[in-house]
Amino acid sequence: MRWEARTMASKKSSYKGLWSGSLFARNLRRFWPLWAALCVVWFLILPGNILNESSRRAALSPEFLRELLLNFVYPAVFLCGAGGLASSLCVWQYLCSAKAAQAWHGFPLKREGLFYTNFASGLAIALIPVAFAIAATLGACFLNGPSRTPMDAVVVLLAVMSASALFGFCLGTFCVQLTGNLVMAAALFVVLNGAAVAARSMVFTLAESLTWGLSFSGSPGPVVRWLTPLWKLSQETHISYSVIGDGGMAVIGFQGLWIYGVYSLAALGLAVLALALNHFRHTETAGDAIAVLWLRPVFRLAVSLAAAMGLTLVCLYIYGGLSAAPLAAVVLLLLVGSFAGWFASQMLLNKSFRVFGKHTFLGWGILALALVLCASALKLDLGGRQAYVPDASQVTGVTAEFTAASGDWEADPAETVALHRAILQNREILERDSGYPTLTLTYTLADGSTLRRSYSLDRNSIDRVPGLTVRLRNYMCQPEAALQRVFQGIDPSEIPTGYVNWYAQQGFYEDGIWTAPDDAALRRDIELSLQAGFNGARLHQKCFDDRFHYWADKLGYLTWAEFPDWGLS
């Protein structure tokens, strides 16, 4: 403890100030293996790649270097974010030990000063590898030629790396202030980066398994996207290209850089929240799973809900699929999962297996009752959403899609409503054996709203419903619907009309068995077929010679090729 002794003995540092230069320098020296290792990794990733390409080519063009650097944007988000998390865990590790926390809080430094100094030193540890990577990258680019250095790409990479390191460190700092355990802090970091989209996915998937026809698929809303940084950055930031010459592509920049600025501001907000939590944090909470007392019920509830939905979805997927789940099975799984999550969270909070008591069962009982009521309301369709079919007079347009047929088509509202009602009238049969294929109906109503329903219709189940197979076939096989599915986006007046008269052509030759003896035999096959009145053929059981397709194109002969199958699959 020589450093502490020198600090307390020094006249300049024996005050309750807001900054300690000695502590800042000590943290940099103490955790040098972390930032040094990150520097080595970044040297291998960025300058190493540039030097490797330079050794293989005479001179690298600015366009090539720009694309090379911008392609490392997404790896930089993950690596710099992870580096920021590691830095935060290093500088705040003393908060996870009661003895260490008491010793550090006994320094001649205000708690806010201790926070400022550790925060600055941790952020410096996270940003040192960024500065080194950019400097080494500029050096490698200058060796290739200063005039060929794409400074715009370097600036973008610097901004992305700095913002990612800042956000990772601030979020890690916020997580450490919430808990008194390093493992729990790292887990919270991962959870907060994906909790919104994961919770949405589990809730909607479970709702779809309890209902029939309702579809909750689609991209997450703006709030969920912003609360999931990795998803937001990977989906809405990208390299932009321009077409040059005959199909060539050139990198012109990077779009979505402002999103990193927003997350940088959010990181500063997290830092302020972390400072407030640190100010009111009790030293005795070191080692606790959740250090903030009022957050413990929230933690218990979140773990219980995640365990309930996770166990239910996994078991339904393994034992019977996620569609048409029985209510009794879902309720049982929700109860078991929620109790397991409640027990596990209480055990983590109490740091003991002795967690049972009247308050334990009371809290879990309220949660279990809420889960049962929600599941029952969805399964029994208490709101009437699953049984609702709009009147044909209220529908201005219908788009239908059937997974057994390619594409979608504009359907007749009256026929769609009649088919929809026929499906609902036979729900017990169709829902029990639901599977592939899927019929999706999207109504556009007179008030401008849309209504979407999706039904999995197993072929065997359809056959057991009198008249449904014929109704569905007639609904799909209308000429207008078929043309829309096959020729999407093409003016119907421009589609050539006519009939095909085909046969299955085996490609057998007396002189060559499955191989044509010469090119003339291939042409002769097509000419004989045309003379017989056929205008095409389904090429059966083998891959035909390229010259056969050549003569088919020359002579106006349609072909439909298929994969060979010798019965060995």
Side-chain angles (χ1 to χ4, degrees):
M1 304 295 289
R2 290 175 295 175
W3 175 82
E4 288 82 353
R6 288 199 305 270
T7 302
M8 297 186 69
S10 174
K11 293 183 179 180
K12 295 182 180 181
S13 59
S14 59
Y15 68 101
K16 291 286 184 178
L18 297 177
W19 176 259
S20 173
S22 301
L23 178 58
F24 180 88
R26 177 179 180 272
N27 282 341
L28 294 183
R29 292 194 304 268
R30 182 184 179 190
F31 300 114
W32 72 266
L34 174 60
W35 56 261
L38 291 174
C39 288
V40 172
V41 171
W42 274 117
F43 180 83
L44 296 175
I45 292 177
L46 283 176
N49 265 290
I50 296 175
L51 295 175
N52 180 54
E53 293 293 339
S54 299
S55 65
R56 297 164 57 185
R57 308 185 186 191
L60 303 179
S61 64
E63 292 75 16
F64 177 84
L65 286 174
R66 181 178 293 106
E67 184 173 11
L68 178 66
L69 294 177
L70 292 180
N71 279 331
F72 286 107
V73 165
Y74 294 133
V77 172
F78 291 92
L79 189 55
C80 291
L85 170 63
S87 302
S88 64
L89 296 180
C90 287
V91 297
W92 303 114
Q93 62 178 317
Y94 73 90
L95 293 175
C96 299
S97 170
K99 292 183 178 180
Q102 292 175 0
W104 280 71
H105 291 160
F107 289 169
L109 197 65
K110 289 184 178 180
R111 177 172 287 200
E112 291 78 5
L114 190 61
F115 180 89
Y116 296 149
T117 305
N118 280 324
F119 184 89
S121 58
L123 186 58
I125 293 171
L127 293 178
I128 285 174
V130 174
F132 172 81
I134 295 301
T137 299
L138 285 173
C141 291
F142 285 161
L143 290 177
N144 183 64
S147 60
R148 299 190 182 95
T149 302
M151 293 303 300
D152 55 343
V154 175
V155 171
V156 168
L157 197 59
L158 172 62
V160 169
M161 295 175 67
S162 302
S164 301
L166 174 64
F167 185 81
F169 176 76
C170 291
L171 181 58
T173 298
F174 177 73
C175 292
V176 173
Q177 302 301 328
L178 291 178
T179 180
N181 185 284
L182 290 181
V183 176
M184 184 62 69
L188 280 176
F189 182 90
V190 175
V191 168
L192 292 179
N193 269 287
V197 69
R200 175 190 180 275
S201 177
M202 287 195 297
V203 170
F204 285 178
T205 304
L206 186 58
E208 287 183 349
S209 69
L210 287 168
T211 58
W212 195 58
L214 300 185
S215 177
F216 301 96
S217 59
S219 60
V223 176
V224 175
R225 291 198 297 267
W226 278 108
L227 292 177
T228 312
L230 295 181
W231 194 97
K232 180 74 174 180
L233 295 175
S234 63
Q235 296 293 323
E236 301 188 22
T237 61
H238 58 274
I239 303 173
S240 56
Y241 294 86
S242 64
V243 179
I244 58 173
D246 187 14
M249 302 294 291
V251 177
I252 61 175
F254 187 82
Q255 295 184 351
L257 191 62
W258 65 274
I259 298 177
Y260 291 89
V262 173
Y263 279 114
S264 297
L265 295 177
L268 298 179
L270 290 173
V272 174
L273 291 177
L275 174 61
L277 291 173
N278 182 268
H279 178 78
F280 295 102
R281 180 190 179 103
H282 297 287
T283 305
E284 296 80 8
T285 59
D288 291 351
I290 297 296
V292 183
L293 298 180
W294 60 268
L295 277 180
R296 293 184 178 184
V298 178
F299 170 76
R300 189 162 46 234
L301 178 63
V303 173
S304 301
L305 288 175
M309 291 188 292
L311 177 66
T312 303
L313 292 175
V314 169
C315 291
L316 291 179
Y317 179 78
I318 293 175
Y319 294 109
L322 295 176
S323 59
L327 178 59
V330 172
V331 168
L332 178 62
L333 290 171
L334 287 174
L335 294 178
V336 173
S338 62
F339 183 78
W342 196 275
F343 175 82
S345 59
Q346 192 65 38
M347 182 184 64
L348 289 174
L349 293 175
N350 293 356
K351 293 183 284 187
S352 171
F353 287 101
R354 298 181 178 181
V355 298
F356 294 105
K358 61 179 182 179
H359 296 293
T360 301
F361 288 103
L362 177 61
W364 172 76
I366 296 174
L367 174 62
L369 179 61
L371 291 174
V372 171
L373 292 176
C374 291
S376 301
L378 288 172
K379 189 65 178 179
L380 301 177
D381 192 23
L382 298 182
R385 292 190 60 193
Q386 301 174 53
Y388 173 71
V389 179
D391 189 80
S393 60
Q394 301 175 343
V395 180
T396 59
V398 180
T399 302
E401 181 180 3
F402 199 56
T403 52
S406 60
D408 52 24
W409 70 96
E410 296 295 328
D412 180 72
E415 294 182 359
T416 303
V417 169
L419 176 62
H420 193 173
R421 288 173 178 166
I423 291 174
L424 291 177
Q425 289 171 1
N426 297 276
R427 173 177 178 175
E428 293 184 2
I429 299 175
L430 299 175
E431 184 182 18
R432 184 168 59 248
D433 299 323
S434 61
Y436 180 86
T438 301
L439 174 66
T440 301
L441 307 174
T442 304
Y443 296 92
T444 301
L445 304 181
D447 59 359
S449 61
T450 59
L451 179 71
R452 188 171 186 265
R453 294 293 183 264
S454 184
Y455 301 99
S456 297
L457 305 175
D458 185 82
R459 293 180 177 90
N460 297 326
S461 300
I462 297 175
D463 292 338
R464 291 201 297 269
V465 179
L468 185 58
T469 302
V470 176
R471 183 189 292 271
L472 185 60
R473 184 183 293 116
N474 293 338
Y475 180 76
M476 289 185 52
C477 296
Q478 302 172 28
E480 295 80 5
L483 288 175
Q484 289 184 38
R485 292 200 303 271
V486 177
F487 300 99
Q488 297 186 49
I490 300 178
D491 187 352
S493 63
E494 299 178 0
I495 300 175
T497 59
Y499 293 92
V500 295
N501 188 18
W502 291 2
Y503 71 104
Q505 182 163 339
Q506 303 284 355
F508 179 83
Y509 302 90
E510 292 184 358
D511 300 333
I513 309 179
W514 295 111
T515 304
D518 51 34
D519 186 63
L522 297 172
R523 177 172 180 170
R524 180 64 176 162
D525 254 1
I526 298 175
E527 291 175 342
L528 290 174
S529 299
L530 291 172
Q531 293 173 12
F534 298 104
N535 58 5
R538 179 171 65 89
L539 308 182
H540 189 48
Q541 292 287 47
K542 74 170 189 176
C543 294
F544 277 62
D545 194 282
D546 289 343
R547 293 292 296 177
F548 183 91
H549 296 289
Y550 168 79
W551 285 117
D553 185 51
K554 286 291 185 180
L555 300 174
Y557 189 72
L558 298 174
T559 59
W560 178 358
E562 65 180 28
F563 287 105
D565 180 10
W566 298 96
L568 301 178
S569 59

